Amino acid sequence: MSRTENFLKNIKSAFAFQALSVIINFVSRKLFLMVLTTEYLGLNGIFSNILSMLSLSEMGIGSAITYSLYKPLAEGDQERVASLMALYRRAYRIMGILTMLLGGALAPFLPLLIRDMPDIPHIYLIYLIYVLNSALSYFYSYKHSLIAADQKRYVLTAYYGWQQLATAIVQISLLLWTRNYFVYLGFQTAAGLAGNIIVSRKADRLYPYLKTIPPKELDPEVRKSISQNAKALILHRLSWFVVFGTDNLLMSAFVGAAAVGLYSNYTMVTSGLKSIYEQLFKALTAGVGNLSAEKPPEEVLPVFRRIDLFFSWLYGFSAVSLAVLLNPFISLWLGADYQLSQNIVWLIALNFYATGMRKTVLTFRTAYGLYWQERFKPVAESLVNLAASIILAIPFGVAGILAGTLISTMTTCFWVEPVILYKHGFHLPVRSYFQQYAFNTLVTLLTAALAWYLCSLLPQSGLLPFLGKMAICALAGNLTYLAVYFRREEFHYFIDLIRQYLM
C-alpha cells in the first residue's frame, strides 16, 4: 500500500470515529451536569494537569524511540525494531511504577493546588483513581507507537474509536442510573485497561517477530541518539505542561475550581476540534518520517508547503468560527450562566490559531528528529509563560492566564521552531516561511472581521440565529480563503488528490 493510500485510509477511519466521539462527549457533558456540579468538571481538569506533569519523562522516551523506529521500519529491519521495542517496554514499565508512586505522594498537597477546596466527598480517593488509571496505561500502551510509526494508525483508530464510544455511553448511563461518581470513574479505568490490552494483542499479531526475535543490545550510536533526543523531548514536554497544562492549575489557584469548570466547557469544544485535526497530523507523522528518511530536503520541501497551506486554511477558518460561535454555542448547549466574557473567547481563539499554525513545523521537526537543536526553546517558553500568566492573572483572572500563554508562544515558538527546521532540516533561509505566515494571518484577521460584522447583524441568541452565524462563518470564511489561494500550486495539488480519491 502506498504512502498516500495509507494516509487516506488513516484519515478516513479516524475522522468518522473521532467526529462521532466528539458529539457523544458533548451530549455526555450535558447529562453529566444534570447529575453533578461544575466543581467535578474542575477536578477533572486539575487532576489531569497533575498527571500530565508526572508524564514529562514518558513523552521524551516515547517520542525518541518512535522517531528511531521510522528508518528500521522503512528498511524492514525486524531485529532493530524488536530491540527498540524491548527498550520501550522496560522504560514504560518503570514509568508506570513511578507514576503510581509519585502520584500517590502528591495527594497530601492537593489543598495547595486547589483554591477553596470544593466540598466533594472522598476527593483524595477520586484523585488516587485518576493516578491508577494513568499508571496502568503504561504497561500496555507502548506497542501503540509501533503501529502508528508503521503508518497503520487506522488500526488504532478502529479499536480505540469503538472503545471510546462504548465507554462514553456506558459511563453516562451508569452515572444517570447510580448517580455515583465512583462507579463512573471505576468503569473508565476498567475500560481503558481493557482497550490497551486488546490493542497490545493486536500488535503481537501484526508483528509476530516481536516474540520470536530475541532483542539485542543496541548500537552505542543509536542509544546515544535516543538518550539525547529523550533529554531534549523531556524539556519540550515540560514546556508543553507549563504552557498548556498549568492553565487549569493557575485558574484554580488564582480564581477557583468553579472557574476551571466553566473554562473546561470551552476547552471541551477546542479539544474536540483538536482531537479531530490531530488525526491528520498523526496520520502524517509516520509518512513524513519515512519520507525524510528516504528523500533529500529539496523533495521534502514541496510536501511541507502543501501541508502548511492546508492547515493554515483549516486553523484559520476554525479560529474565526470559534471567535464568533463559541459563546452562542455554550448558551444553547448549557445555558447563558455557563458563558465567559467575549474577551476570553477571543483569547481562546487566538491561542487555538497560534498553536495550530505550529503543527506543520512540528510534524516535520519530528520527522527530522530536530529535538536537540531546539532544546533551549522550551525552557525560555516555560519561563515566559509562567511569569506572564502569574503577573496577568492577578488583575485579569482567566483572561490574564490565557494572555500569558499567547505571549509565550509568540515570543519563542513562533520564530525558533521554523528557524531550526529550515536551518537543520531543509538547509534553506527561513524568510519565505515568515512571509507566508504573515500573509496567512492577515487573511485570517480580515476573514474574522468580515464574519464578526455579518454575524452582528443577527439576533444574539436563539437556535435560528446560531445556525445563521454558522452559515456565515462557513461561507464567508471558506470563500475568502478560496479567493486568495485558488491559484496556488499547493491548492491544485489537493484538488487533484481529491479527484483521484473520488474516482
Side-chain angles (χ1 to χ4, degrees):
M1 190 178 291
S2 71
R3 184 180 290 113
T4 300
E5 290 172 330
N6 258 332
F7 171 68
L8 292 174
K9 189 171 182 179
N10 286 334
I11 294 304
K12 183 179 178 180
S13 61
F15 264 45
F17 283 107
Q18 201 67 47
L20 186 56
S21 174
V22 168
I23 293 171
I24 287 183
N25 285 337
F26 280 120
V27 175
S28 298
R29 175 65 63 95
K30 178 69 173 179
L31 296 174
F32 184 97
L33 287 172
M34 290 171 60
V35 179
L36 300 172
T37 63
T38 303
E39 281 76 12
Y40 279 91
L41 292 178
L43 279 186
N44 177 70
I46 296 165
F47 291 166
S48 297
N49 286 164
I50 293 173
L51 295 172
S52 292
M53 177 178 64
L54 296 179
S55 67
L56 295 179
S57 57
E58 174 270 328
M59 284 302 293
I61 296 168
S63 298
I65 296 178
T66 299
Y67 165 70
S68 300
L69 285 169
Y70 291 142
K71 187 173 182 179
L73 282 171
E75 296 174 348
D77 189 344
Q78 295 182 355
E79 184 177 288
R80 174 70 63 83
V81 171
S83 299
L84 286 168
M85 292 306 296
L87 175 63
Y88 213 159
R89 181 178 64 251
R90 291 195 298 270
Y92 262 43
R93 286 178 177 174
I94 293 171
M95 282 306 308
I97 294 170
L98 286 176
T99 298
M100 234 180 265
L101 295 175
L102 295 176
L106 284 174
F109 301 98
L110 290 181
L112 300 177
L113 300 173
I114 305 175
R115 180 182 178 181
D116 301 326
M117 195 84 151
D119 186 20
I120 294 177
H122 311 296
I123 191 170
Y124 291 98
L125 181 57
I126 292 172
Y127 167 71
L128 291 176
I129 293 175
Y130 273 89
V131 173
L132 178 65
N133 189 19
S134 177
L136 288 176
S137 67
Y138 289 108
F139 293 96
Y140 295 97
S141 62
Y142 67 94
K143 292 181 182 177
H144 306 176
S145 297
L146 175 60
I147 297 174
D150 199 25
Q151 300 187 69
K152 294 177 181 176
R153 184 166 290 277
Y154 54 86
V155 174
L156 298 177
T157 302
Y159 277 86
Y160 280 123
W162 286 116
Q163 179 215 338
Q164 189 176 10
L165 296 179
T167 300
I169 293 171
V170 176
Q171 265 190 294
I172 205 65
S173 299
L174 288 172
L175 185 62
L176 292 172
W177 179 36
T178 66
R179 308 184 79 82
N180 188 312
Y181 189 56
F182 287 99
V183 174
Y184 177 89
L185 284 182
F187 180 79
Q188 177 178 297
T189 302
L193 178 61
N196 282 326
I197 292 174
I198 290 171
V199 174
S200 177
R201 290 179 177 175
K202 176 64 176 179
D204 291 338
R205 292 194 295 271
L206 286 173
Y207 310 99
Y209 59 83
L210 292 178
K211 290 190 173 183
T212 59
I213 297 179
K216 294 184 178 180
E217 189 73 17
L218 292 168
D219 296 337
E221 283 299 315
V222 175
R223 297 181 68 90
K224 179 181 177 181
S225 174
I226 292 173
S227 174
Q228 192 176 64
N229 281 331
K231 292 174 184 177
L233 278 162
I234 290 172
L235 292 177
H236 285 283
R237 179 63 175 172
L238 175 63
S239 168
W240 178 91
F241 172 75
V242 171
V243 175
F244 299 106
T246 58
D247 281 354
N248 285 336
L249 294 177
L250 290 172
M251 289 178 197
S252 174
F254 285 96
V255 187
V260 178
L262 291 177
Y263 176 66
S264 72
N265 296 322
Y266 287 77
T267 57
M268 187 174 184
V269 178
T270 56
S271 297
L273 280 178
K274 288 177 182 177
S275 68
I276 294 174
Y277 298 165
E278 195 68 25
Q279 302 305 319
L280 289 167
F281 288 105
K282 287 179 179 179
L284 279 169
T285 300
V288 171
N290 290 329
L291 180 68
S292 65
E294 299 169 0
K295 303 293 184 180
E298 58 269 19
E299 293 186 38
V300 179
L301 185 59
V303 178
F304 171 84
R305 287 174 174 160
R306 291 165 186 162
I307 296 173
D308 191 48
L309 172 68
F310 177 80
F311 284 108
S312 295
W313 186 328
L314 182 64
Y315 276 95
F317 162 70
S318 299
V320 170
S321 299
L322 287 172
V324 174
L325 299 174
L326 255 180
N327 262 344
F329 175 75
I330 294 293
S331 180
L332 281 173
W333 176 33
L334 301 173
D337 292 340
Y338 288 89
Q339 284 184 316
L340 295 171
S341 72
Q342 185 60 41
N343 288 336
I344 293 176
V345 173
W346 282 111
L347 286 167
I348 291 172
L350 285 171
N351 275 316
F352 183 87
Y353 179 77
T355 303
M357 290 291 282
R358 296 169 53 197
K359 289 292 188 177
T360 307
V361 171
L362 293 178
T363 298
F364 281 78
R365 180 208 64 185
T366 300
Y368 281 109
L370 301 175
Y371 308 113
W372 186 251
Q373 287 80 356
E374 58 176 61
R375 60 192 179 279
F376 299 117
K377 184 267 299 181
V379 177
E381 181 187 11
S382 302
L383 293 175
V384 171
N385 179 78
L386 272 181
S389 294
I390 292 173
I391 291 171
L392 294 174
I394 297 172
F396 301 113
V398 174
I401 294 169
L402 296 178
T405 300
L406 183 63
I407 289 170
S408 67
T409 299
M410 299 309 295
T411 55
T412 54
C413 308
F414 162 69
W415 65 273
V416 173
E417 290 166 353
V419 166
I420 294 296
L421 175 63
Y422 270 73
K423 180 179 180 180
H424 298 281
F426 298 144
H427 308 292
L428 291 170
V430 73
R431 185 183 302 108
S432 61
Y433 171 83
F434 287 123
Q435 290 172 342
Q436 190 60 51
Y437 189 107
F439 181 77
N440 293 339
T441 302
L442 178 61
V443 172
T444 299
L445 291 174
L446 292 174
T447 303
L450 175 62
W452 182 263
Y453 170 73
L454 293 175
C455 289
S456 69
L457 302 177
L458 298 177
Q460 295 304 304
S461 61
L463 178 59
L464 289 178
F466 176 75
L467 294 176
K469 291 175 183 179
M470 284 185 64
I472 288 173
C473 289
L475 291 173
N478 286 300
L479 289 176
T480 302
Y481 286 108
L482 180 63
V484 172
Y485 295 128
F486 82 99
R487 293 183 182 275
R488 295 273 298 273
E489 180 275 332
E490 294 85 356
F491 176 80
H492 288 283
Y493 168 82
F494 285 106
I495 295 298
D496 292 339
L497 190 64
I498 293 171
R499 286 174 180 165
Q500 293 174 22
Y501 180 69
L502 293 176
M503 294 174 61

